[in-house]
Every structure is written in structure tokens, then in C-alpha cells.
Amino acid sequence: MGTPDFSVPTLRALAEAGHDTVLAVTQPDRPKGRKRALCPPPVKVAALEMGVPVFQPERLGEEGAFERLSLLRPDAVVVVAFGQILKTDVLSLPRLGCVNAHASLLPRYRGAAPIQWAIANGDETTGVTTMLMNEGVDTGDVLLRREVGIRADHTGGSLHDELAVVSGELVVETLAGLEDGSIKPEPQDESLAGCAPMLKKEDGRIDWSMDAAMIERRSRAFDPWPGSFTRIGDLTVKVSGLAAVDAVKSGAPGEVIEAGPGGVLARCGRGAVLIGELQPPGKRMMRVAEYLAGRSIEKGLILG
């Protein structure tokens, strides 16, 4: 059971490990783009390429859904970013249980956006946890964890891709351990639990009262979505290629200290950030030098 790109490496890893994947359960096709054409989820595309049957219930509780699953008598149900809550009937169906792979070191960062918030909050490490699912959200007993370091150049997108591969590897290892009895589920420590709420577009708006390091981390964490943006005069402009500069002490939050071909230096609550790329509405992302060839950014202007 899975839906987005993050789930696909696990589907492939199960096949490569010799498991008989009898069904891929994923979300229904959804309209996307300006033309709102129906688009299949990535798991459906990959499953059909692999010859795996696909089931796309709007809800697992709908009529006939559980009956279809129960006829398969699965040994295990693997769940990776599926997008629906599993109820008791499904959770109790497989012999080895429902195994979920979650992109954090649980109980830290339960929720929809653990990868992005780990970067935004300045964590040095994150990882993947497999667990036996219960009816809570990421609250099941832990099976295995694998730690992954967060580099200074990691974006939400690049770390997502790395952890997707790790998830596939860890699920295969977890299934082997459940089958031979070498893995013992361990309850999560509720005192260490943390939340990673779903990202909103507004999360990408730069708050210039934050310190420079935090603004830089958030710009990487929210790449590719929702991105980072701010007001420059009367335009809302996306920004990229941010670098924190601690030496700058003067100026109000958001104040442009200098703007030239090398970038736009803007004061933050503490320190400053150097903006390397800008994307005006309806245009592509461009280097600051190219942006300034057609528009001006005056020293002393307050961004945001």
C-alpha cells in the first residue's frame, strides 16, 4: 500500500528480494495540472510496469474493499506513504502484521512531513523506522531503525530520494526478521514524541525576523515544495540558493544591505542571507545578475 514517488523504491525492493507482491493498493487517479487531466499515482504506474495488479479504493472502508484484501490471505501488508488510515479489520488481516516504513527516527517527527522538518529544525541525523501499525498515526511498535546523516547541502527533495531507497532496504530486512522471529517489536517512548505537520504553501514565506541559519535551512527543507518566497516591492518572488552570513550586524529584518551580480544580501533577525537566485511571477528561476538586468533592487529596501 503506497501512493507517491517515495513508495516506489519499496515496491521494487520487494520484487528484487523475491517476495510475491500480489496486489498494489494505491489512491485513485487524481486531476492535475492546468487542464486537470486525471493522473495515476506513481505506485500505480510502477506496479503496472511490473505486472502487479492494482486496486484503487477511494477508502478502504468502502463496500467490497476488505473482502478483496481478505481473499488474498496476505502474509504481510507493507504500507509506505499510502495516505489512508488502516482500521482494525485490515490491521489484523496479515499473518505477520501491517509493516509501515516512516521517514524519521520514531517517535521523533510523527506525521506527514518528517523529512522537511528534520532539515528545517537543524537536525544532524534522521532516518527510517519500520513499525507494526496500529490505529494511531505513526504510533506502532518499532521494528527496525536506520540512521541517515543530514548534510549541509541536503534539500527536502534530495533527502526524500535517499530515504526512499533506505525505506525499501529496511522493509526487506524487516520482513526477513519478522519471518524468522529475530525482530522483537518495541513500544515507542511517548515522552520523546514529536510532530511533523503537513506542509502548507504559507510555510515557504520567509519570516525575516528569524535568524539567518534558520531561514537558510527552511529554504533547503522546502525545496522543491512549497519553495521559499518573499515580497520585493510589489512582487511576490521565489528565491533560491540562500547562504547564511553571520558577520552582518546592522540593518532591520528584511533590509537589503547590498544588491549586485553576486547576490542580494538581506538582513535577518540575526545575521543575514545572501540570495543567489530569484524567480519573478510567471518567469523561470534566474541568477541575481540576470534579474537585475531587467529590474532594480535598491539598497535599504525592506523585503517581505
Side-chain angles (χ1 to χ4, degrees):
M1 297 183 178
T3 299
D5 288 321
F6 189 85
S7 315
V8 173
T10 298
L11 177 62
R12 299 194 187 281
L14 290 169
E16 292 168 4
H19 290 289
D20 181 14
T21 305
V22 295
L23 187 67
V25 186
T26 188
Q27 299 276 28
D29 296 2
R30 305 290 189 195
K32 287 189 177 180
R34 292 183 179 179
K35 295 184 178 180
R36 308 305 290 165
L38 282 179
C39 186
V43 163
K44 177 181 180 178
V45 175
L48 293 178
E49 289 175 354
M50 298 165 62
V52 176
V54 174
F55 181 37
Q56 296 177 271
E58 191 70 44
R59 285 285 176 263
L60 285 177
E62 70 185 40
E63 184 177 354
F66 176 73
E67 287 72 18
R68 178 167 184 181
L69 298 180
S70 61
L71 287 172
L72 299 172
R73 299 176 64 191
D75 294 302
V77 172
V78 172
V79 183
V80 183
F82 177 40
Q84 295 188 33
I85 300 295
L86 275 59
K87 300 300 184 182
T88 302
D89 55 355
V90 177
L91 292 171
S92 59
L93 178 62
R95 176 174 63 88
L96 297 175
C98 292
V99 176
N100 175 239
H102 182 73
S104 82
L105 299 175
L106 288 171
R108 188 160 174 78
Y109 297 124
R110 294 171 176 171
I115 298 171
Q116 293 86 350
W117 289 114
I119 298 174
N121 291 336
D123 290 12
E124 295 183 355
T125 60
T126 186
V128 175
T129 302
T130 53
M131 65 182 142
L132 278 180
M133 297 179 70
N134 57 23
E135 290 198 54
V137 177
D138 304 324
T139 56
D141 289 354
V142 169
L143 298 170
L144 291 177
R145 291 187 184 92
R146 183 174 298 176
E147 190 172 290
V148 174
I150 298 178
R151 301 190 309 271
D153 63 344
H154 263 134
T155 64
S158 64
L159 186 55
H160 165 284
D161 293 349
E162 289 184 30
L163 293 180
V165 174
V166 172
S167 292
E169 296 170 348
L170 199 63
V171 163
V172 170
E173 185 179 340
T174 299
L175 291 178
L178 287 174
E179 181 68 33
D180 65 21
S182 61
I183 295 178
K184 303 302 180 186
E186 298 181 0
Q188 296 185 35
D189 184 347
E190 291 297 321
S191 69
L192 301 176
C195 185
M198 183 179 295
L199 293 178
K200 309 180 299 295
K201 184 174 182 180
E202 191 62 20
D203 290 323
R205 185 181 301 277
I206 295 176
D207 178 354
W208 292 102
S209 68
M210 293 180 175
D211 66 62
M214 182 175 292
I215 291 174
E216 185 274 335
R217 290 196 306 267
R218 288 171 68 98
S219 73
R220 288 188 291 109
F222 303 153
D223 176 3
W225 195 89
S228 294
F229 57 91
T230 191
R231 295 284 293 184
I232 300 180
D234 59 354
L235 296 178
T236 297
V237 177
K238 288 187 176 181
V239 300
S240 184
L242 273 60
V245 180
D246 291 332
V248 177
K249 305 297 183 183
S250 61
E255 182 178 345
V256 175
I257 306 302
E258 59 182 69
V264 175
L265 187 65
R267 182 76 166 95
C268 307
R270 184 172 62 185
V273 292
L274 184 65
I275 302 170
E277 296 179 311
L278 300 165
Q279 182 180 0
K283 305 291 184 179
R284 58 176 175 80
M285 190 70 74
M286 61 188 74
R287 300 294 299 175
V288 169
E290 185 179 357
Y291 183 95
L292 292 176
R295 303 166 185 82
S296 65
I297 300 178
E298 300 297 332
K299 181 179 179 180
L301 177 70
I302 303 296
L303 303 181

